[in-house]
Amino acid sequence: MSAKINAVKGMNDLLPGAVGRWQELEALAREVFALYGYREVRTPVVEPAALYSRGVGEQTDIVSKEMYVFEDKGEDRLALRPEGTAGTIRAFIEHGAFVDGPQKWFYMGPMFRRERPQKGRYRQFHQIGVEAFGIAEPALDAEQIAMVEDWLSRLGVKTTLKLNSVGDPACRPAYLADLTAWLTERAGQLCADCRERTAKNPLRVLDCKVPTCQPVLQSAPRLLDRLCDPCRVHFDAVRAGLDALGVAYLVEPRLVRGLDYYVRTAYEFTSDALGAQSAVAGGGRYDGLVETLGGPPTPGIGFALGAERLALILEALGRPIPVRRPLVFLVAADEAGAAAVLKLSSDLRKAGVACDLDARGGKLARQFKQAERVAARFALVLGSAEVAAGEGKLKDMTTRQETPVKLAGLAAHLREAAT
Ligand code: ATP
Ligand code: MG
């Protein structure tokens, strides 16, 4: 045997036994998002690296430390997408979608960040996210946040919704100057990362997870106290919208988004199902971003959810993985039976009945073993006698009961039995 080759560190296989959970959460996302008028967009996994330098920001961890960048045969600098917003906006602009008025889009797919792999943190992971373009009004923010909560609660996941406003270019600069001064005075009490961020991305210091930084930051000046009137009015209206929709939230003045382009609404859904509170989904408003990426001024708001983290939560909650199993397993008793089984399976599948068979044929016991392995609901043995009679015995694999059935009309009979 040759030496085996393993997957890249931090990049996971999803085997058939686990995929059912993903299919469930994805299917529910498609269903719920459609109820709110969001339509799916699919964009490339590889984009020009410049898209992220401009659209996410050079100073962010994502671009400065975590992005996979490569030269395409000495031509372009390309990147594996680390997030979905920039690419979605690029597509929105490139195809002139803005001429059609406000748009609500969603996406799902793999993202890549070169982080240290640990539970819930991988180098290839999957995000399910949405972007809504063209509406600046707070009713959209409330509707979108309520949609996330609707989706998660249909999955039986209880989360905490944290809400904040990160201001806008009118009120943030003055606040940032004060914050920077405040942080600089306390540099000695902060971790090395925080000291570095104080200069580059001071807002990000506020959500430092290092335990010794937390108490220091508790008394930091709050942007919420310094919002300009339009930002204040917007924030109050988002809150009123959520109240009206019956969505509970916590105002979290130190909640910031890691990306530079957010304005006003910032939100995060966290869960304690994985031990420490961890972020499952993060979102916010980015009214200047479409323009930054070369489009016409277009407000927008979106979120992204980490699908691995959601799957881990569903697992921790003990939610069963939906399994698709054959309704019937056809067992061949002899050569005539084997031919009949092949033909009957084809007829059943054409009639929409999930069925399976053991293509090896052979001993009945082994075929029944296979029927159990695939968790078939019923089994039907066909041999020359059954073929001649046009009739067989349908065995319920759970109760072991056998009922005579006519082979003609079997599909209808099975569908009846399944309900
Ligand atoms: P964190 O603070 O956990 O690093 P982030 O701010 O980098 O999160 P976002 O860029 O907002 O995360 O991405 C949205 C969601 O994607 C996160 O809430 C998380 O659920 C998920 N996510 C982010 N990075 C990873 C990763 N490396 N592996 C798995 N999921 C991830
Ligand atoms: Mg991160």
Side-chain angles (χ1 to χ4, degrees):
M1 261 200 272
S2 317
K4 79 181 161 111
I5 297 174
N6 288 333
V8 175
K9 185 175 155 194
M11 305 206 180
N12 302 311
D13 299 307
L14 264 174
L15 298 183
V19 156
R21 190 182 295 298
W22 283 68
Q23 289 173 331
E24 183 190 27
L25 65 89
E26 288 166 359
L28 208 58
R30 291 176 198 285
E31 191 183 317
V32 172
F33 295 172
L35 291 175
Y36 288 78
Y38 284 79
R39 295 178 305 145
E40 183 169 356
V41 60
R42 301 187 187 193
T43 63
V45 166
V46 174
E47 297 275 4
L51 176 67
Y52 302 107
S53 314
R54 214 191 313 162
V56 178
E58 291 283 6
Q59 305 306 336
T60 58
D61 286 355
I62 293 180
V63 174
S64 65
K65 299 182 193 155
E66 300 168 358
M67 201 155 70
Y68 284 96
V69 181
F70 61 97
E71 299 275 333
D72 183 12
K73 296 246 191 267
E75 286 178 23
D76 299 309
R77 263 185 93 241
L78 303 180
L80 297 187
R81 64 179 183 193
E83 56 92 56
T85 301
T88 302
I89 295 184
R90 185 213 32 79
F92 177 81
I93 297 169
E94 190 166 333
H95 300 280
F98 43 82
V99 302
D100 295 328
Q103 303 274 328
K104 294 193 260 191
W105 290 5
F106 76 87
Y107 59 84
M108 42 182 80
M111 306 294 162
F112 304 84
R113 295 184 194 176
R114 204 172 187 294
E115 303 196 66
R116 198 167 61 79
Q118 49 189 289
K119 190 173 182 190
R121 193 175 293 285
Y122 311 100
R123 290 182 170 179
Q124 174 177 308
F125 63 102
H126 297 75
Q127 285 186 340
I128 300 179
V130 313
E131 314 296 348
F133 301 112
I135 294 177
E137 277 69 15
L140 177 68
D141 309 35
E143 179 195 68
Q144 183 176 97
I145 295 170
M147 178 177 78
V148 185
E149 128 94 32
D150 186 0
W151 172 36
L152 294 176
S153 65
R154 284 179 205 229
L155 286 165
V157 175
K158 286 202 184 54
T159 45
T160 303
L161 165 59
K162 295 176 178 164
L163 184 71
N164 193 19
S165 173
V166 294
D168 71 1
C171 51
R172 198 160 49 201
Y175 166 77
L176 285 183
D178 288 358
L179 177 66
T180 306
W182 191 92
L183 292 170
T184 308
E185 271 171 40
R186 287 157 188 81
Q189 295 162 261
L190 298 171
C191 72
D193 271 351
C194 280
R195 288 199 298 271
E196 200 187 319
R197 285 186 190 128
T198 298
K200 288 187 182 162
N201 193 355
L203 218 48
R204 196 71 220 256
V205 175
L206 294 178
D207 82 341
C208 177
K209 306 286 185 308
V210 174
T212 50
C213 292
Q214 294 278 347
V216 183
L217 296 169
Q218 214 124 88
S219 50
R222 297 156 28 128
L223 179 50
L224 260 194
D225 302 329
R226 309 275 295 273
L227 295 179
C228 56
D229 281 344
C231 285
R232 165 64 54 199
V233 168
H234 187 96
F235 188 58
D236 290 345
V238 174
R239 297 183 55 172
L242 290 173
D243 292 340
L245 295 171
V247 177
Y249 57 87
L250 284 175
V251 173
E252 174 57 68
R254 284 186 291 144
L255 172 69
V256 297
R257 306 285 311 125
L259 317 180
D260 289 344
Y261 49 69
Y262 285 96
V263 297
R264 297 191 173 163
T265 309
Y267 65 97
E268 195 167 83
F269 284 84
T270 64
S271 161
D272 52 18
L274 300 177
Q277 276 284 333
S278 73
V280 191
R285 185 166 268 291
Y286 46 73
D287 291 349
L289 183 58
V290 176
E291 216 178 337
T292 302
L293 290 174
T298 309
I301 177 168
F303 79 88
L305 169 136
E308 278 79 4
R309 292 194 197 166
L310 181 54
L312 282 168
I313 290 170
L314 293 171
E315 188 188 324
L317 294 174
R319 187 176 174 94
I321 298 181
V323 281
R324 289 204 179 199
R325 44 188 210 154
L327 188 50
V328 66
F329 196 95
L330 302 179
V331 175
D334 53 29
E335 221 165 290
V341 152
L342 194 60
K343 175 71 172 80
L344 184 58
S345 65
S346 156
D347 294 345
L348 287 174
R349 287 164 180 157
K350 281 177 187 146
V353 172
C355 69
D356 207 353
L357 52 88
D358 188 336
R360 297 170 300 182
K363 289 212 173 73
L364 288 189
R366 190 174 71 177
Q367 295 186 53
F368 268 100
K369 178 99 197 154
Q370 187 61 14
E372 273 167 25
R373 258 193 218 119
V374 299
R377 178 92 193 270
F378 298 101
L380 178 66
V381 181
L382 293 187
S384 42
E386 285 79 9
V387 173
E391 203 178 296
K393 284 199 201 104
L394 189 66
K395 179 173 180 178
D396 185 315
M397 295 293 283
T398 324
T399 63
R400 309 262 143 200
Q401 255 169 14
E402 295 192 327
T403 344
V405 283
K406 294 246 180 307
L407 300 186
L410 181 63
H413 178 91
L414 281 167
R415 271 202 293 261
E416 184 80 3
T419 51

